[in-house]
Amino acid sequence: MSTALPDATLRRTGPAATPWRADPYTNALRNGHGPLFLRRSDGWLLPLDVERWCADADAADLSALRRCEGSVLDIGCGPGRLVAGAAARGHRALGVDVSQAAVDHTLRLGAAALLRSVFDALPGEGRWGTALLIDGNVGIGGDPAALLKRVAQLLSPGGLLIAETVQMDVDERVEVHVDDGHGALGELFPWARLGTPALLRHARPLGWQPADQWTTGGRSFLALRRV
């Protein structure tokens, strides 16, 4: 199966939200390492694993990629290890991200990516076989129900969503900054943190049913199918 997308498609870009274009995130991706955090208004810090994001797909990532079906859309693809990994496994794969640095890194890997939000118009809407929300990206937009509804619009009937969840029953919607640990902050933006039980609570009323659930390498994953 071909993994390539037309060059014209790759050049299309849409509006990009500013938080992930902030200097701390851009600098971390360009350097390939942190420190980098999400900072809540009360000072709480969530470390972001930039080194893992910029490396090849690890065993936990591969556990998700092995479950992918058909064409793969990686939402919030970051520097592109999962897009590249999916393409290497024979899937037609596309990453979308609101960070130019992330898209540039993905393209340098030889994978396909667009500078675009998941809530913008995307190619292949209603025809993707699998959508990925990995590395906490189930928190995009700070509104899990809105994100799940949008993913349902992107997938083909019976399509699969594979999401990474927090390893505890967390259901939190917050506003955060990207923080480099040295005083540089990105803009404030909404985010969410969900454990598997919380994601299921949001998903079931919207017509999603669990297809698989697993933990590996200290990370938790949930596969959902829209029925």
Side-chain angles (χ1 to χ4, degrees), residues 71-180:
S71 57
V72 177
L73 180 67
D74 185 9
I75 298 166
C77 67
R81 75 188 191 283
L82 294 169
V83 186
R89 296 180 68 85
H91 297 278
R92 179 176 179 269
L94 174 68
V96 295
D97 205 290
V98 297
S99 161
Q100 184 67 63
V103 170
D104 290 345
H105 197 289
T106 302
L107 295 175
R108 285 196 297 272
L109 294 180
L114 288 174
L115 181 65
R116 205 167 295 184
S117 164
V118 64
F119 296 104
D120 293 334
L122 294 175
E125 294 201 16
R127 300 193 301 275
W128 292 98
T130 303
L132 299 177
L133 288 170
I134 308 297
D135 299 328
N137 284 334
V138 72
I140 288 173
D143 185 340
L147 182 58
L148 288 166
K149 290 175 183 176
R150 177 59 178 147
V151 174
Q153 295 172 344
L154 297 170
L155 289 173
S156 61
L160 194 67
L161 166 62
I162 299 177
E164 184 174 355
T165 58
V166 178
Q167 284 197 297
M168 60 187 78
D169 189 7
V170 174
D171 190 351
E172 179 181 53
R173 276 161 294 287
V174 294
E175 290 194 327
V176 293
H177 301 269
V178 179
D179 185 333
D180 71 354

